[in-house]
Amino acid sequence: MATYAIGDLQGCFTPFMALLRQIEFNPGRDTLWLTGDLVNRGPESLAVLRWVFEHQDCTQMVLGNHDLHLLAVAEGYGKIHSDDTIDDVLDAADSKLLLDWLRCQPLMIYEQGYAMVHAGLLPEWSINKALRLAEEVEDELSGKDYRKLFAKLYGNKPARWHGELKGMDRWRLIINAMTRMRFINSDGELDLSYKGELDGAPAQLRPWFAVEGRRSMDTPIICGHWSALGLMLTEDVLAIDSGCLWGGRLTAVRLEDRAQFSLPCPPYREIGKSK
């Protein structure tokens, strides 16, 4: 039995299947952890969703920003962008079944001594605090009034956490941190403007995982989202979006011994376009 964490798929179904063959994944024995962004920008979002839905018994995932964007568009609250590739999901005969299932997936999981979240955790949050906050949003997403959340999903504010935040401001910041974050600025605010490599980051920005005093530092966190960062495996962070969509690699890490497996991917998108 083995547990494999795999980075952002974004509709790259063919490399996904090739990687599963490479690691000799056995659905009756092994488990997959997927870092979110199952869909969008790649060519086979529907195939990815259907595979994960059909293999729920051996797969765990967290929601990414592209997954939430798909759900918002499906509810009429998000705009389809020119480089989106989600029409196959929206037009599918089983679209409602798949989207209702996707909407009820978690923002964060914690098992086997690892936490997994799509983008990251704010420095103020311990693992237990983050799990409680994720559950608040998950309850809204799976509840009967979930469309109200999608109606006000988009936006970059508020940018700083404080416990007095309520309602949509609170949920939007939780979502933005867990699904969109890369950097924190010198004022302790979430900065969503810069998406590039570490070496080119403005001086006032720090990657979320390098902020001094981060309260989740005692638990290894598995994340994706940041293809420009590339594969980065440290004692407390396993960042495994190695840029399959952009002609990089698709990576799996076996959690029991941190063995790495990867394969090259065709460039479904050109480097430099919006991520």
Side-chain angles (χ1 to χ4, degrees):
M1 297 177 62
T3 303
Y4 297 94
I6 297 181
D8 301 24
L9 296 175
Q10 292 200 246
C12 300
F13 182 69
T14 299
F16 178 38
M17 292 297 101
L19 183 58
L20 293 187
R21 289 191 295 272
Q22 178 179 319
I23 64 178
E24 299 181 348
F25 179 75
N26 183 331
R29 178 193 64 203
D30 303 324
T31 301
L32 287 184
W33 286 21
L34 302 176
T35 61
D37 278 3
L38 268 61
V39 301
N40 207 14
R41 306 290 173 82
E44 298 174 286
S45 292
L46 179 59
V48 170
L49 270 186
R50 282 175 171 165
W51 190 95
V52 178
F53 177 79
E54 291 166 2
H55 292 82
Q56 295 176 55
D57 291 345
C58 62
T59 305
Q60 295 200 76
M61 64 164 289
V62 291
L63 290 167
N65 53 306
H66 284 282
D67 306 315
L68 290 169
H69 174 61
L70 166 62
L71 291 166
V73 168
E75 295 296 338
Y77 293 111
K79 296 180 180 179
I80 294 183
H81 305 128
S82 60
D83 51 359
D84 284 345
T85 59
I86 54 177
D87 285 345
D88 60 343
V89 179
L90 298 172
D91 295 339
D94 53 350
S95 178
K96 186 178 188 313
L97 174 68
L98 294 171
L99 295 180
D100 283 347
W101 163 80
L102 183 65
R103 178 169 52 82
C104 294
Q105 299 309 299
L107 278 178
M108 179 180 175
I109 63 173
Y110 174 71
E111 290 183 16
Q112 302 181 42
Y114 287 93
M116 184 168 70
V117 65
H118 179 62
L121 299 179
L122 288 174
E124 299 95 330
W125 298 344
S126 66
I127 294 297
N128 286 337
K129 176 70 171 179
L131 286 168
R132 291 195 297 269
L133 295 176
E135 187 175 3
E136 289 184 27
V137 175
E138 293 158 11
D139 287 346
E140 292 301 315
L141 285 170
S142 61
K144 61 183 178 64
D145 294 327
Y146 68 88
R147 297 184 81 251
K148 293 181 180 179
L149 186 146
F150 289 121
K152 297 185 178 180
L153 175 68
Y154 295 96
N156 295 343
K157 300 294 182 181
R160 186 164 187 167
W161 172 257
H162 55 84
E164 293 73 29
L165 284 172
K166 295 181 179 180
M168 196 60 224
D169 281 346
R170 182 181 178 93
W171 301 328
R172 188 186 303 111
L173 180 53
I174 295 168
I175 290 168
N176 282 345
M178 293 189 179
T179 71
R180 298 177 62 202
M181 178 172 62
R182 296 178 181 90
F183 289 97
I184 302 293
N185 68 22
S186 55
D187 293 326
E189 296 178 337
L190 184 64
D191 187 291
L192 299 170
S193 61
Y194 179 74
K195 304 179 181 180
E197 299 177 0
L198 280 180
D199 290 346
Q204 74 273 17
L205 300 183
R206 292 287 181 273
W208 67 268
F209 49 78
V211 174
E212 186 175 354
R214 177 169 62 85
R215 296 190 63 199
S216 58
M217 199 172 292
D218 58 345
T219 299
I221 296 174
I222 303 165
C223 59
H225 182 60
W226 194 350
S227 61
L229 176 66
L231 183 66
M232 187 192 80
L233 303 180
T234 67
E235 183 177 349
D236 61 333
V237 177
L238 288 75
I240 57 174
D241 181 0
S242 47
C244 177
L245 183 69
W246 310 95
R249 304 182 73 85
L250 185 63
T251 297
V253 176
R254 189 167 57 208
L255 299 187
E256 287 76 12
D257 59 2
R258 296 206 182 190
Q260 302 170 44
F261 309 86
S262 69
L263 52 78
C265 302
Y268 295 113
R269 292 289 174 186
E270 296 177 8
I271 297 296
K273 286 188 178 181
S274 172
K275 301 179 184 180

